[in-house]
Amino acid sequence: MDTTPGGGHVLAADRPGRFGPYGGRYVPEALVAALDELDREYAAAAQDPSFTAELDHLLTTYSGRPTPLTEAARFGAEAAHGARILLKREDLNHTGSHKINNVLGQALLTKRIGKQRVIAETGAGQHGVATATAAALMGLECVIYMGEEDTRRQALNVARMRLLGATVIPVSTGSRTLKDAINEALRDWVTNVETTNYVFGTVAGPHPFPTLVRDLQRIIGVEARQQVLDLTGRLPDAVAACVGGGSNAIGIFHAFLDDADVALYGFEAGGDGVATGRHAATITAGSPGVLHGARSYLLQDEMGQTIESHSISAGLDYPGVGPEHSWLKDTGRAAYEPVDDAEAMEAFRVLCRTEGIIPAIESSHALAGARRLGERLGKQHGPGAVILVNLSGRGDKDVDTAAKWFGIMDESGEVRA
Amino acid sequence: MTTSVAFEKARAEGRAALVGYLPAGYPSVDGSITALRAMVQAGVDVVEVGLPYSDPLIDGPVIQRAVDGALRAGTTTTDVLRVVEAVAATGAPAVVMSYWNPLGRYGAAAFARDLAAAGGSGVITPDLTPDADDAWLPAAREHGLDTVFLVAPSSTDERIAMTTASCRGFVYATSVMGVTGTRDQVSDAASVLVSRTRATTELPVAVGLGVSDAGQAAEIAAFADGVVVGSAFVRRMLEAPDEPAGAASVAELAGELAGGVRRR
């Protein structure tokens, strides 16, 4: 069992980028050389003790790993039918989410390749903030593409990125959200590929990104598995994570894949409800196809045009999903369910009140899912089921959205008496 | 007519072939048919019919705008096939330019069958390299369609050879690293890429990305077998006050470019 941050198995890559019928590389020929270079350099870096040591050092001394495991006793008792809810505290990472795990590795890789400029897409802004942070740390030029709609929803994160020295480019094409930010970042990359590395934020996109990002996020589950064993003396009954592109979910799932008795649950953004058509529940309601360079489930119409997704959570508002999740779904190793906006916000409220933790709205989908699992497992096995929840990010960025949702602020942002 | 015949004819006349692109369905399905036919009459040798897609990641803002318009107007894959049929009826070879997902969704075999039935000559696949998916090549071969893949300045010699070995009809060389859109200058990278490509194949090599006027067309015609023009045509359509004016403006540009490819 490897518990070293960033060490050992964390960087073990498999090849060649297919997960059953999913994944692959559907990109313009112009990008193939850069993807091959990234793949090659990553494989070499993973074998290079000085690279892994540098990454370990940053994860420990800069990001604050290992992140703690917190037992949410009041939340479990009052809101999850007596289940033991164990929170993997990725919200306590530097920059406030799991995104930093991936970005530190990719920024080191950028330096190793010898490029001076990084670009990234961002939805909620968490990946953008993490990338801007790593770029500042390593002296790289940084450009972040963000949907115009998201720059409004997540204005605080736009300010954070700019404070960190990044250029934020609002994307006004298409649905003006994460999907379009990725298109625009890919257009930048194909133009500037000689000088620029694309620091992709999730386990989607063309090979090697789904593998590379998963390996860099795998540390979440490696740590959490040992922490649950240390605390409870056994493995959890279930692991719950939210799924947009799916990086925090794959990160916590991966260490449990061979533990057949541990059920894995991904909770997708149900938006206004899957039946309304206004949602981001890609695996629940989508079908296989190709988006952003990989074959996976996606929200598409009969002609293969991408359907715009909807969610209160900017970080889950994406009509695609990482190809490994599609494979886990088809093989039955993981189950995926939608959680709608209202259910997620209720879980958000309850965690604030019972544990004194303000979660990201993204992670609140996983908390809502854990409540559902608590009820289900309680009926099956009685109370005391152990549910590990990936608390992937903190809710500072969401205070505005939440205050309006709960009527603490009016639409203009004034606090109500 | 197949694309090979069009390229041979141009070669026999001691000039490069002119390849012109417009997306189907902008500003309307019939409007795109009228404009593409006007292009052919004014001297375009091979027509590229764009299949509108929601996430055109190798296209710049000009083509994106037109494609968004075509999608908002409700253009379907069946409409695209109707445009191909109408253009092919002029006698000029018509190839479809399409991102992979709409083709995969329609079904590679079904699309190849229906495109061939509509008189289409083949498909250019900007986000599908020959090694990316096994579905397309056998379907295209079965229905006698040209398979046009892209090579780029960043391609290794091995990849150029692999790509041209899977091409039929012609090879599409992207002149610069970047997305579609007009540029002020023809890049030096283009002629190098054409030479590297010719070292691997007897097929004609057409150069695209960034060509907007007769002078640039003439520069490229000096070293390539074909000159591809897209965004400059689309811009004419976007700027036109109505459909007849758009078709007239496109025809005017086609005439100038046809002069350019003869000026080498």
Side-chain angles (χ1 to χ4, degrees):
Chain A
M1 184 58 232
D2 165 45
T3 55
T4 316
H9 303 295
V10 174
L11 294 173
D14 56 11
R15 300 253 138 56
R18 282 275 178 183
F19 304 92
Y22 302 111
R25 192 187 272 175
Y26 298 80
V27 295
E29 169 65 19
L31 286 180
V32 170
L35 290 166
D36 277 343
E37 178 184 50
L38 198 57
D39 194 20
R40 214 168 40 238
E41 290 290 337
Y42 167 55
Q47 300 302 318
D48 178 351
S50 71
F51 180 87
T52 51
E54 193 173 359
L55 179 56
D56 284 351
H57 180 74
L58 286 175
L59 289 172
T60 308
T61 65
Y62 187 71
S63 185
R65 300 210 74 89
T67 57
L69 188 76
T70 301
E71 176 149 17
R74 293 190 63 217
F75 182 88
E78 294 180 22
H81 296 263
R84 292 187 73 179
I85 302 293
L86 308 179
L87 304 177
K88 179 58 175 167
R89 300 294 303 280
E90 292 300 299
D91 60 317
L92 294 178
N93 273 306
H94 179 45
T95 74
S97 81
H98 70 291
K99 293 293 187 187
I100 194 83
N101 304 333
N102 169 42
V103 156
L104 288 173
Q106 288 207 50
L108 282 178
L109 208 50
T110 303
K111 282 180 62 179
R112 187 184 170 94
I113 293 170
K115 291 180 176 176
Q116 290 301 317
R117 179 175 180 265
V118 289
I119 56 171
E121 82 294 346
T122 197
Q126 294 303 86
H127 176 58
V129 167
T131 305
T133 299
L137 177 68
M138 299 185 198
L140 301 168
E141 183 191 345
C142 179
V143 174
I144 304 293
Y145 290 91
M146 187 171 188
E148 204 173 48
E149 169 74 15
D150 292 336
T151 62
R152 272 194 294 272
R153 284 195 280 195
Q154 305 285 346
L156 187 65
N157 270 343
V158 174
R160 290 168 80 195
M161 289 183 267
R162 291 180 60 181
L163 288 170
L164 290 160
T167 303
V168 180
I169 300 182
V171 175
S172 57
T173 53
S175 60
R176 302 167 188 225
T177 60
L178 180 57
K179 159 182 101 73
D180 307 283
I182 294 176
N183 290 338
E184 214 50 42
L186 284 166
R187 290 181 186 120
D188 179 314
W189 203 28
V190 80
T191 307
N192 301 301
V193 67
E194 263 184 52
T195 60
T196 299
N197 191 28
Y198 186 0
V199 177
F200 203 73
T202 190
V203 289
H207 177 68
F209 289 121
T211 309
L212 168 60
V213 178
R214 177 251 282 159
D215 288 355
L216 291 166
Q217 293 293 2
R218 199 175 167 277
I219 192 166
I220 303 171
V222 169
E223 286 176 7
R225 189 177 182 280
Q226 189 61 49
Q227 288 167 323
V228 173
L229 284 172
D230 291 346
L231 181 72
T232 67
R234 66 180 186 96
L235 289 171
D237 297 295
V239 179
C242 64
V243 178
S247 70
N248 89 81
I250 217 79
I252 199 161
F253 286 175
H254 229 259
F256 295 97
L257 286 183
D258 295 333
D259 300 320
D261 292 338
V262 179
L264 305 176
Y265 286 91
F267 293 98
E268 302 191 294
D272 293 346
V274 171
T276 67
R278 290 177 51 85
H279 61 82
T282 306
I283 293 180
T284 304
S287 54
V290 170
L291 175 66
H292 294 145
R295 187 176 156 79
S296 195
Y297 279 83
L298 68 113
L299 299 178
Q300 59 182 333
D301 67 14
E302 283 167 9
M303 206 181 130
Q305 308 293 348
T306 312
I307 294 173
E308 290 177 15
S309 54
H310 295 275
S311 169
I312 191 171
S313 152
L316 303 182
D317 199 349
Y318 180 55
V321 68
E324 192 167 6
H325 285 294
S326 294
W327 183 231
L328 291 174
K329 144 86 177 172
D330 282 10
T331 58
R333 180 61 191 94
Y336 297 83
E337 300 178 8
V339 165
D340 65 26
D341 287 354
E343 213 182 342
M345 292 311 291
E346 176 59 12
F348 175 103
R349 189 189 69 81
V350 173
L351 192 77
C352 291
R353 298 295 182 90
T354 58
E355 301 293 338
I357 297 170
I358 300 178
I361 296 177
E362 289 76 17
S363 318
S364 301
H365 288 70
L367 291 164
R371 297 183 65 188
R372 204 185 282 170
L373 294 176
E375 181 174 13
R376 218 178 283 165
L377 293 171
K379 279 181 185 156
Q380 283 169 13
H381 310 295
V386 175
I387 302 171
L388 172 65
V389 180
N390 197 4
L391 195 68
S392 55
R394 64 178 178 237
D396 306 36
K397 68 186 176 58
D398 296 316
V399 166
D400 197 59
T401 304
K404 284 172 186 161
W405 177 273
F406 294 115
I408 296 167
M409 268 182 201
D410 62 25
E411 280 307 310
S412 66
E414 291 294 314
V415 175
R416 291 197 171 115
Chain B
M1 196 198 285
T2 66
T3 55
S4 312
V5 172
F7 278 97
E8 276 161 27
K9 180 167 165 280
R11 188 176 294 186
E13 292 172 12
R15 64 176 178 90
L18 178 60
V19 183
Y21 164 95
L22 282 179
Y26 183 82
S28 65
V29 175
D30 288 337
S32 61
I33 291 173
T34 307
L36 284 162
R37 282 180 164 162
M39 245 187 198
V40 172
Q41 275 184 347
V44 164
D45 300 294
V46 176
V47 169
E48 254 186 60
V49 179
L51 194 155
Y53 176 52
S54 54
D55 296 273
L57 56 84
I58 200 177
D59 284 309
V62 170
I63 290 179
Q64 281 179 53
R65 253 175 72 200
V67 163
D68 283 350
L71 288 175
R72 271 198 306 276
T75 308
T76 65
T77 305
T78 309
D79 291 329
V80 175
L81 293 168
R82 182 156 77 79
V83 173
V84 168
E85 191 161 20
V87 174
T90 64
V95 294
V96 167
M97 169 93 156
S98 182
Y99 291 89
W100 177 242
N101 199 50
L103 297 195
R105 187 73 170 159
Y106 195 93
F111 188 80
R113 178 196 65 212
D114 292 352
L115 178 61
S121 301
V123 183
I124 303 171
T125 48
D127 67 343
L128 186 77
T129 54
D131 54 343
D133 200 285
D134 298 331
W136 176 238
L137 273 174
R141 290 287 173 270
E142 187 187 336
H143 294 281
L145 294 174
D146 287 345
T147 49
V148 181
F149 296 101
L150 277 57
V151 292
S154 61
S155 304
T156 60
D157 290 341
E158 292 72 24
R159 287 198 61 83
I160 290 175
M162 181 277 292
T163 302
T164 59
S166 294
C167 285
R168 214 193 83 166
F170 64 100
V171 183
Y172 191 127
T174 52
S175 61
V176 290
M177 295 299 288
V179 296
T180 57
T182 56
R183 288 172 175 81
D184 293 339
Q185 286 190 316
V186 173
S187 119
D188 296 337
S191 64
V192 175
L193 179 59
V194 169
S195 309
R196 292 174 63 212
T197 305
R198 284 215 178 108
T200 69
T201 183
E202 299 291 315
L203 287 171
V205 182
V207 170
L209 291 200
V211 186
S212 60
D213 60 30
Q216 290 177 332
E219 277 184 66
I220 290 186
F223 60 81
D225 304 300
V227 179
V228 186
V229 180
S231 295
F233 281 122
V234 176
R235 174 165 286 151
R236 295 284 182 119
M237 295 291 280
L238 290 170
E239 288 171 355
D242 53 39
E243 290 191 5
S249 180
V250 159
E252 180 189 43
L253 178 62
E256 290 166 22
L257 293 164
V261 297
R262 286 166 173 81
R263 216 199 286 159
R264 53 159 62 157

